[in-house]
Every structure is written in structure tokens, then in C-alpha cells.
């Protein structure tokens, strides 16, 4: 136990946590900014081919992260179409992969939340003379609990993901080593105390981030 | 209907995203800048802590950052094949040679080695403990169907394992053979848990030994010196990815890295790593530069001897004072005082008959680890033979008439008569030689510059009685020839650093100026 505690004092721990939050945070913001509007649109509007898109989104929610990692790897590799960017084995590649993993979760769950808003609300808003954008915004506000849940789910999915970031990031010390890949490394080396310390940290970070998000959700709900 | 708080949150989110995206872009830019070396390597070099110990010196030297991507050798080579790494440090010799053959790299260099050992449960149910051959041990494991944990990941260790199975003529399969597709650490941990056998590199074993209480080394002994199976040798190679086939790679830094890791200082650091903690090195330096400077191999005919630095220091030494070889950059090598072993001494100790006249006309070739050669004439060192004999050989008469004038008909050459123990008229011989006619028709004329009348007289008188006994007129090597040194000290201090520990220094006279460093072999050639 004392050994476990001393592992927390390792200087690299803080750096790994910081990088994890930066990568997951950036990926989550990208996924939220693209996923929430698209999810809301799909929840509000009816059009041809919508079912196909919905199906694709739901499939995407269950997409194996390591497959996403493989595709991103091949795209960003020097031999791939985006090779000249030189993003492979950098945090940028990890952000791209995690954003792709998070996007279907955000969009799909937002769509469900928006679709679940009472039709009466929308009609009421229209009756009050709101524009299309205003009414969409209002419906989104009504669905805020579900939308926050979508973001929380996406956060949990990305911060705990290991296969894709290992592939595209390369687990480079000080550059692309995040909590999950570090846990894999230390377990491989038989340094279970350090692996455990990182695991506890990961859970704590996830817990803390969820508390923050839920408090935001709570504040929104209380209004 | 506006929700100011939510709007504020939205704006905040937007700002944060822009910051994050900018940061990500900046980071990506930094990663592809010339200041970064992407090194794809095996898990063993990283997990053992070696790279962490030695890389800071390189990062300081090149003012760059090294991104270490530690994966199996198979994956590291695959990363290199796509041009996603600038340099590779791996241990899968055949695959490395193929990598070069496929032009993904122009050259592969030996860097270091260690060895593989076979570990297994303390109780050793398959009774392989004490076997000296990995092949026999594997055959016993297969016969006993003893649980075996294989990396199964195309890594260097996995490749080595498969080669041993092939040598044992076993195609491993069945429930006892567990192909994991995992790294070395995971494989050892699993073997420890399941009381299975496994092949591991000694470095990873040593660094994890405390956590593997159920396992012990069964084949390979307690250190590399006790490992007698050459199939268990584990060689690491380094390659810079070829910029011609992969234009995106950072070739400048990659080449610097290759040069650096092969250099003496780095090699020494490699050899010292882990000694304090484990009582033995985890890796043994193996670069050409390192090998060349630890020992020199001397070959005379079928005789060959290897002298280590310690051997050389124990031999009688000569010192050449205040001397700087000509033809070398000023300041690089002199003037200094050089101490070392006369080359003659080394050759004599390798083959006591090296001074015999039959070797006259031979050359002494010194080869450096970087391929550079320097050449000396045999006569420069062993001139204390009858002058006529030395001249006869140096001037090439031996080519057709035999080293002792016995006459020969070598294949591809026209038969030449025996000259030994015969009396010739000087005037007649001079005419034939100078004009290249009669018996010498078709042979390049020997002018006065080639062979003086006095030289010719010496040769002819020697041929009348061709022995090595010196009767008055001896061919004396120019003075200072004892100062043809294989030097290991400069200005009283051991030669270190990039110049290599062993340097050829040729003393001050008309033969001087030849200089060579990193001397690896000294060979008498015809």
C-alpha cells in the first residue's frame, strides 16, 4: 500500500494526466461541436434516407476503437493520403481518432434526446413566433439532460480507450503516453504498483470530470 | 426565451475548442519539424530502461527530441516500411537484411547483442535444465508437451523462437503451445502464472526477475559467458530509413543517430548499463567501431591471432615523439607523441617466419572498421634480409621465377626458368632487362629507375646462393621503421573517443604519411 502511495509521487504521473486531459478534452470538444448540431438536426427533421444515417450512427456507437485506430493510422501514415501532415505518432493523431470514436456517441444520443422532447413544446415555440433556429435551440435546451448524458458517455468512452491511441500515438514517453497506454506499459513491465496507481488516477479523473459535467447538467435542470 | 447561462457555456466551449485545435495543430507541426527523430524500436530496448539511460546524451548533442515508439521488431520494421519512422533499432537479423534489400534502408549496422535464455517452472517437469543446446531443449519440451508461452507477435524474440523450433524439426501446435501475440513482459508474467516455459531475452528477464518467482533460467546459464548455444545470440541492428524511397523522413537526424549509437562513447554507455543493478550488462556493445578498438586481428597466411588492448599493453612498446602524420588534417593527429606496439612485433608473434624472404614482395594491409585501408610493404618492416633477396622479391622477379628463384609455370603465366644457383653475365642480363627482349620479350622493360646496376648485381649474387644468411650486404629498412606503430597511447594518455583506440602511425621518413584509425585487421597479402 505504501508502495502504491509512493508511485503517486512520480513526476511523470502529472504529465501523463495532463496529456490525457488535453487529448480527451480536445477530442470531446470536436465531437461535441460536430455531434450535437448534427444529432439535433437528425432528431428534429424528417427526410429521406434518415433511417440509413440513424443506423450508421448506432453502428458507429459500437464501433471497435481499435478499428478506428487502424483506419486513422493508415490515413495518417506517410504512405497514406494524409501522410504529408506528419501527424502519426503525435497527439493530433490521437485527438483525431478519439474524436471519431466520440462523434457517433454524441450525435446518436443527442438525436435520441432531441427526438424525445415533447412535440407540444415545439409547437408552442412556433406558436410564439420563433424562427426555425430559435425553436431548434429551445428544443435542444429542453433536451439538455440527454445531451449532457451524451457528452458524459463520450467522455467515458474516449478517456478509457486504449487500442486506438496506442496504435496512432505510439505510446511515446512525454509525447503521446496517456493514462491507458501507460497502464498497458507498466503492466507489461510487471510494475503493477505503478500500473495500479495510474488506474486509480484514471478512475479519479473520470469521476471528477463526470461530477463536473453532472453539476453543469444539474444547474441547467434547476433553471 | 434566451438562456444567457447556456449561451455563455456555449461560447466558452467554442473558445476552448479553438484553443485545443490550435494547440493540437501546433503540436503536430512541432512533431514533423526537423528537431524530432522518430525511432521505432523493440520493447526490450525501451522496457529495459536502456534508451532512457543513453538517449538524453543524443538529444543534447543534436539539440533534438527523440520520440521512441516501442513495439515488436516486426511492427517496428512495418512502421519503417511505410516511412513512419526515421530510424530503426531492432533485433530480427534476417528481416533487417530483407529491409535493406527492399531499399527501405541503405545499410544495416551491428549495434549490440545479448542472448536469449529458456526459462521455465522451478520444478522443470520437462527436465531441460542444464541442457546446453536450445534445439535439444525445445525438442524435449515438444516431446513432453510442456506448456510453452510464445510471443506469437512476429517480434525478434518470436522469430528467434521459430528458428529454434525449425532447427528442432518441430512444428509447435496443440494446447501446450500458447501463442499470445503479446510483449515480452506479458509473456513472462503469463508463464509465471501458468508455470509455462518461455524464450526470453536475458535483459528483460533480469529486469523482471524479482516479479517472476515461479520461473528460473533452465538453458543459457547465469550470464552470457555461460551461454554456449550460438542460436541463442540476440543481435541488434540500427538502420536509417532511406530518404530515396521515403522522402518524408528526417534523414539528417537519423544519420546522426546511427553514427552516434555506433560511436565509442555510446557503445561504452551501452555496455555499462545495468551492471550496477544486475551485476552484468544487459547489452554488449557490438558496433564495428567498438570491435575494432577493443582488439586487432593479425593474419599471416593460415595463422591468425587476435590481440586485445590488454595484450598489446603487455608487449614491449615503442614511442614516437613529437610526430604528426602528413596528409592528415592539421590539428587532428599531431604533432603528438605516440606509444604502441611495433607492427613487426605483432606479425612476428603471429607467425615467427613472417620475416623470411619468401614473403618479400608481400604487402601488409591494415583495414579499419570504416573500410579504410592503409598498405605497407613487407620490406619496410623486414628489410634485414640479404639485399639481393629483398630486391628480387620487391622488384617482382618472384612473380615468374618463384620466390626462391626455383622457376615456375604458374597458371596463366608463361613458364619461367629457374634462376637459383646459376651464374649470369651482368652485361647480358642488363641488356635483356632494359630492352625487354629475348627471354624477357613482352615483359615491361626495367629501366635504371626501376632497378639500378648495383641492385641488379646484388640480386644476381644472391641468386648464386639463395639463402637468408646475411653476408655483408643486407637490405636495411629505412631508419625509424621500428616506429611503425599500432599506437594505443597519445601524449601518454590512452587514445579515446571518435579516433578509436588503435591507430596506425608510420614513422618519419619517405614512407610516412600513412595513417589509419580504428584498425581492425592487419593482414599479410601478396
Amino acid at each position: 500500500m505504501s508502495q502504491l502511495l509512493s508511485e503517486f509521487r512520480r513526476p511523470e504521473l502529472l504529465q501523463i494526466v495532463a496529456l490525457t486531459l488535453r487529448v480527451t478534452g480536445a477530442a470531446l470538444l470536436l465531437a461535441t461541436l460536430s455531434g450535437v448540431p448534427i444529432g439535433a438536426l437528425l432528431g428534429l427533421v424528417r427526410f429521406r434516407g434518415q433511417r440509413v444515417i440513424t443506423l450508421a450512427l448506432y453502428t458507429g456507437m459500437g464501433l471497435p476503437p481499435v478499428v478506428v485506430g487502424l483506419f486513422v493510422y493508415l490515413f495518417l501514415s506517410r504512405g497514406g493520403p494524409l501522410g504529408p501532415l506528419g501527424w502519426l505518432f503525435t497527439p493530433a493523431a490521437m485527438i483525431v481518432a478519439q474524436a471519431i470514436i466520440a462523434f457517433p456517441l454524441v450525435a446518436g444520443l443527442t438525436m435520441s434526446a432531441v427526438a424525445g422532447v415533447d412535440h407540444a413544446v415545439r409547437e408552442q415555440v412556433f406558436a410564439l413566433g420563433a424562427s426555425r433556429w430559435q425553436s431548434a435551440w429551445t428544443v435542444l435546451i429542453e433536451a439538455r439532460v440527454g445531451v449532457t448524458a451524451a457528452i458524459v458517455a463520450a467522455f467515458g468512452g474516449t478517456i478509457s480507450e486504449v487500442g486506438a491511441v496506442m496504435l496512432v500515438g505510439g505510446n511515446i514517453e512525454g509525447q503521446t503516453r496517456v493514462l491507458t497506454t501507460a497502464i498497458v506499459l507498466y503492466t507489461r513491465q510487471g510494475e503493477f504498483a505503478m500500473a495500479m496507481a495510474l488506474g486509480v488516477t484514471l478512475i479519479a479523473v473520470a469521476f471528477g470530470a463526470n461530477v463536473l459535467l453532472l453539476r453543469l447538467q444539474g444547474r441547467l435542470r434547476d433553471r | 426565451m434566451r438562456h444567457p447561462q447556456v449561451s455563455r457555456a456555449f461560447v466558452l466551449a467554442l473558445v476552448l475548442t479553438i484553443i485545443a485545435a490550435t494547440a493540437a495543430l501546433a503540436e503536430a507541426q512541432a512533431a514533423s519539424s526537423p528537431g524530432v527523430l522518430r525511432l521505432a524500436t523493440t520493447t526490450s530496448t525501451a522496457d529495459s530502461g536502456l534508451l532512457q539511460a543513453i538517449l538524453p546524451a543524443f538529444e543534447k548533442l543534436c539539440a533534438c527530441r527523440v520520440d521512441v515508439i516501442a513495439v515488436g521488431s516486426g511492427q517496428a520494421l512495418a512502421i519503417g516500411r511505410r516511412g513512419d519512422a526515421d530510424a530503426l533499432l531492432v533485433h530480427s537479423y534476417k528481416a533487417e537484411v530483407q529491409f535493406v534489400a527492399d531499399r527501405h534502408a541503405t545499410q544495416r549496422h551491428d549495434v549490440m547483442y545479448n542472448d536469449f535464455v529458456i526459462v521455465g517452472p522451478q520444478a522443470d517437469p520437462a527436465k531441460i535444465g542444464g541442457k546446453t543446446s536450445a534445439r535439444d531443449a525445445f525438442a524435449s519440451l515438444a516431446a513432453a508437451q510442456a506448456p510453452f508461452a510464445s510471443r506469437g507477435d512476429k517480434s525478434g524474440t518470436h522469430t528467434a523462437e521459430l528458428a529454434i523450433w525449425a532447427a528442432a524439426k518441430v512444428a509447435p501446435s496443440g494446447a501446450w503451445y500458447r501463442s499470445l501475440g503479446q510483449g515480452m513482459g506479458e509473456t513472462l508474467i503469463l508463464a509465471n502464472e501458468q508455470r509455462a516455459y518461455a524464450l526470453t531475452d536475458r535483459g528483460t528477464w533480469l529486469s523482471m526477475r524479482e516479479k517472476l518467482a515461479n520461473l528460473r533460467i533452465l538453458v543459457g546459464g547465469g550470464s552470457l559467458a555461460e551461454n554456449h548455444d550460438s542460436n541463442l545470440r540476440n543481435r541488434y541492428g540500427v538502420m536509417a530509413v532511406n530518404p530515396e524511397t521515403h522522402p518524408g523522413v528526417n534523414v539528417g537526424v537519423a544519420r546522426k543517430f546511427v553514427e552516434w549509437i555506433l560511436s565509442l562513447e555510446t557503445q561504452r554507455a551501452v555496455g555499462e548499463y545495468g551492471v550496477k543493478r544486475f551485476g552484468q550488462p544487459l547489452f554488449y556493445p557490438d558496433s564495428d567501431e567498438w570491435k575494432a578498438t577493443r582488439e586487432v586481428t593479425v593474419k599471416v597466411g593460415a595463422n591468425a591471432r587476435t590481440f586485445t588492448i590488454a595484450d598489446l599493453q603487455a608487449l614491449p612498446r615503442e614511442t614516437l615523439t613529437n610526430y604528426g602524420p602528413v596528409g592528415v588534417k592539421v590539428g587532428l593527429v599531431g604533432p603528438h607523441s605516440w606509444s604502441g606496439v611495433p607492427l613487426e612485433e605483432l606479425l612476428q608473434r603471429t607467425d615467427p617466419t613472417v620475416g623470411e624472404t619468401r614473403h618479400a614482395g608481400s604487402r601488409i594491409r591494415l583495414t579499419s572498421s570504416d573500410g579504410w585501408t592503409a598498405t605497407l610493404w613487407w620490406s619496410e618492416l623486414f628489410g634485414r634480409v640479404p639485399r639481393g633477396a629483398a630486391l628480387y622479391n620487391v622488384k617482382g622477379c618472384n612473380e615468374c621465377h618463384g620466390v626462391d628463384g626455383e622457376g615456375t609455370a604458374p597458371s596463366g603465366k608463361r613458364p619461367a626458368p629457374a634462376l637459383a644457383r646459376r651464374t649470369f653475365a651482368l652485361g647480358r642480363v642488363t641488356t635483356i632487362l632494359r630492352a625487354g627482349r629475348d627471354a624477357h620479350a613482352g615483359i615491361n622493360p626495367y629501366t635504371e629507375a626501376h632497378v639500378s646496376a648495383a641492385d641488379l648485381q646484388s640480386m644476381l649474387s644472391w641468386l648464386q646462393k639463395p639463402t637468408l644468411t646475411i653476408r655483408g650486404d643486407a637490405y636495411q629498412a629505412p631508419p625509424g621503421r621500428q616506429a611503425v606503430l599500432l599506437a594505443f597511447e597519445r601524449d601518454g594518455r590512452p587514445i579515446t573517443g571518435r579516433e578509436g583506440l588503435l591507430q596506425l602511425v608510420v614513422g618519419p621518413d619517405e614512407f610516412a604519411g600513412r595513417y589509419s584509425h580504428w584498425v581492425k585487421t592487419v593482414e599479410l597479402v601478396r
Side-chain angles (χ1 to χ4, degrees):
Chain A
M1 194 61 204
S2 64
Q3 197 195 343
L4 183 61
L5 285 177
S6 73
E7 300 291 348
F8 283 107
R9 279 197 283 278
R10 288 220 205 166
E12 63 259 41
L13 191 73
L14 203 66
Q15 194 199 12
I16 291 172
V17 170
L19 180 69
T20 307
L21 287 176
R22 248 176 43 233
V23 168
T24 304
L28 195 62
L29 280 169
L30 289 175
T32 303
L33 285 188
S34 53
V36 170
I38 290 173
L41 187 75
L42 289 170
L44 287 170
V45 190
R46 300 273 162 270
F47 58 92
R48 281 180 78 139
Q50 190 171 27
R51 283 174 65 92
V52 178
I53 290 177
T54 308
L55 198 65
L57 266 187
Y58 283 148
T59 309
M61 284 163 76
L63 204 61
V66 70
V67 175
V68 173
L70 177 64
F71 280 122
V72 172
Y73 184 107
L74 293 176
F75 260 84
L76 293 182
S77 165
R78 291 263 180 220
L82 297 180
L85 288 175
W87 278 13
L88 193 63
F89 304 133
T90 68
M94 300 162 82
I95 292 170
V96 169
Q98 290 205 337
I100 293 172
I101 293 163
F103 171 77
L105 283 167
V106 175
L109 293 177
T110 300
M111 179 178 73
S112 307
V114 167
V117 172
D118 199 338
H119 266 264
V121 175
R122 232 194 306 178
E123 278 155 21
Q124 195 186 351
V125 177
F126 266 124
L128 286 169
S131 73
R132 278 176 82 163
W133 287 109
Q134 281 172 322
S135 62
W137 179 252
T138 310
V139 172
L140 204 52
I141 296 303
E142 283 302 313
R144 63 195 174 243
V145 176
V147 172
T148 314
I151 297 169
V152 168
F155 176 79
T158 49
I159 198 167
S160 62
E161 193 282 320
V162 57
V165 288
M166 182 71 100
L167 269 183
V168 304
N171 195 20
I172 300 166
E173 186 188 9
Q175 297 302 320
T176 59
R177 183 165 298 166
V178 290
L179 280 165
T180 49
T181 59
I183 290 171
V184 170
L185 176 73
Y186 286 112
T187 308
R188 188 170 78 201
Q189 297 179 347
E191 288 201 40
F192 296 119
M194 183 61 179
M196 200 60 212
L198 289 163
V200 171
T201 309
L202 177 57
I203 293 168
V205 167
F207 181 80
N210 280 330
V211 166
L212 268 175
L213 281 168
L214 288 176
R215 277 192 59 183
L216 181 67
Q217 187 186 31
R219 247 180 41 223
L220 294 176
R221 186 187 283 154
D222 291 344
R223 277 180 39 84
Chain B
M1 286 313 291
R2 293 241 109 195
H3 294 262
Q5 219 170 355
V6 176
S7 303
R8 226 181 295 142
F10 183 77
V11 170
L12 188 71
L14 198 69
V15 169
L16 281 176
T17 308
I18 292 166
I19 293 172
T22 317
L25 262 171
E27 233 150 356
Q29 219 78 58
S32 56
S33 78
V36 177
L37 174 79
R38 293 178 188 200
L39 175 68
T41 183
T42 87
T43 49
S44 53
T45 54
D47 288 4
S48 63
L50 173 73
L51 290 180
Q52 247 179 344
I54 65 170
L55 280 182
F58 178 68
E59 290 183 321
K60 208 171 146 195
L61 179 85
C62 73
C64 64
R65 193 183 80 216
V66 181
D67 281 358
V68 176
I69 303 150
V71 289
S73 282
Q75 195 184 340
L77 288 160
I79 287 172
R81 266 195 293 275
R82 294 186 65 89
D84 291 323
D86 306 312
L88 304 181
L89 177 61
V90 289
H91 65 134
S92 197
Y93 182 75
K94 275 188 189 160
E96 290 162 41
V97 170
Q98 189 58 46
F99 193 85
V100 173
D102 294 341
R103 298 191 62 247
H104 295 300
T106 51
Q107 233 184 331
R108 173 205 175 273
H109 305 269
D110 282 331
V111 175
M112 57 193 184
Y113 63 88
N114 57 13
D115 59 340
F116 295 113
V117 292
I118 303 174
V119 297
Q122 297 283 359
D124 187 19
K127 300 272 170 288
I128 64 164
K131 281 192 197 295
T132 50
S133 148
R135 198 183 59 196
D136 294 352
F138 269 35
S140 302
L141 290 179
Q145 306 255 305
F148 186 92
S150 164
R151 290 278 295 271
D153 62 351
K154 287 196 177 179
S155 60
T157 310
H158 184 217
T159 311
E161 179 209 313
L162 293 179
I164 299 172
W165 286 120
K169 298 200 169 55
V170 174
S173 65
W176 61 277
Y177 185 77
R178 287 151 206 182
S179 180
L180 305 182
Q182 303 251 40
M184 197 68 254
E186 289 117 321
T187 304
L188 283 173
I189 288 168
L190 181 131
N192 188 51
E193 294 295 324
Q194 299 200 344
R195 306 272 199 281
Y197 292 86
L199 181 75
T200 173
D201 64 287
R202 194 187 292 274
T204 307
W205 163 259
L206 286 172
S207 63
M208 290 185 63
R209 187 170 46 181
E210 296 149 31
K211 295 144 194 155
L212 305 168
N214 298 331
L215 300 178
R216 65 184 167 104
I217 292 181
L218 296 166
V219 177
S223 69
L224 183 112
E226 293 169 32
N227 193 343
H228 302 298
D229 189 342
S230 62
N231 286 323
L232 290 173
R233 184 61 75 91
N234 181 21
R235 302 166 70 181
Y236 288 81
V238 69
M239 295 179 284
V241 175
N242 188 353
E244 278 173 38
T245 45
H246 302 286
V249 298
N250 193 345
V251 65
V253 181
R255 284 197 182 133
K256 238 187 242 172
F257 174 76
V258 170
E259 192 185 315
W260 169 82
I261 202 165
L262 300 175
S263 74
L264 264 186
E265 295 97 311
T266 311
Q267 291 278 303
R268 191 173 295 119
V270 165
E272 282 165 4
Y273 178 72
V275 173
K276 255 189 210 144
R277 200 171 142 207
F278 305 109
Q280 56 179 289
L282 296 189
F283 300 94
Y284 294 80
D286 197 29
S287 80
D288 278 352
E289 193 176 323
W290 173 265
K291 280 179 284 192
T293 55
R294 302 318 294 175
E295 56 190 39
V296 58
T297 302
V298 183
K299 288 183 210 161
V300 179
N303 298 319
R305 244 185 100 171
T306 297
F307 298 86
T308 65
I309 299 279
D311 293 339
L312 295 179
Q313 282 166 342
L315 293 176
R317 69 173 62 183
E318 291 277 350
T319 299
L320 193 62
T321 50
N322 195 29
Y323 174 65
V326 296
V328 185
K329 245 195 252 169
V330 175
L332 188 65
V333 281
H336 293 290
S337 120
W338 307 84
S339 289
V341 179
L343 211 50
E344 182 189 340
E345 181 83 28
L346 292 181
L347 290 161
Q348 293 274 18
R349 281 171 189 270
T350 305
D351 182 348
T353 71
V354 68
E356 286 180 7
T357 181
R358 65 192 165 93
H359 292 300
S362 298
R363 276 163 281 185
I364 299 160
R365 190 164 59 206
L366 292 93
T367 310
S368 304
S369 61
D370 59 358
W372 181 264
T373 60
T375 306
L376 300 158
W377 284 99
W378 172 89
S379 316
E380 290 181 56
L381 295 180
F382 301 102
R384 289 181 297 276
V385 291
R387 183 173 168 79
L391 288 168
Y392 173 82
N393 284 297
V394 171
K395 303 301 179 189
C397 312
N398 58 349
E399 290 282 320
C400 296
H401 297 286
V403 286
D404 295 304
E406 72 276 19
T408 51
S411 60
K413 286 181 180 169
R414 69 168 120 179
L419 304 176
R421 282 168 289 275
R422 282 177 63 185
T423 308
F424 299 95
L426 179 63
R428 170 96 184 115
V429 171
T430 307
T431 312
I432 290 174
L433 285 182
R434 296 269 187 262
R437 53 174 246 226
D438 298 347
H440 254 227
I443 308 278
N444 274 334
Y446 281 80
T447 65
E448 173 74 26
H450 290 128
V451 186
S452 69
D455 286 349
L456 200 51
Q457 181 62 65
S458 294
M459 279 192 264
L460 293 179
S461 52
W462 175 72
L463 281 167
Q464 286 179 337
K465 203 175 178 206
T467 67
L468 285 181
T469 319
I470 295 165
R471 286 161 295 153
D473 199 14
Y475 179 87
Q476 188 59 54
R481 288 298 84 188
Q482 75 275 15
V484 176
L485 297 182
L486 205 54
F488 48 75
E489 266 181 25
R490 185 175 59 200
D491 299 331
R493 276 193 298 273
I495 301 168
T496 56
R498 299 302 323 282
E499 294 135 37
L501 292 180
L502 289 176
Q503 304 190 342
L504 167 72
V505 182
V506 179
D509 64 18
E510 79 270 27
F511 287 107
R514 276 154 306 168
Y515 164 84
S516 191
H517 52 196
W518 306 335
V519 175
K520 193 177 173 181
T521 55
V522 176
E523 196 177 359
L524 192 75
V525 293
R526 287 216 66 93

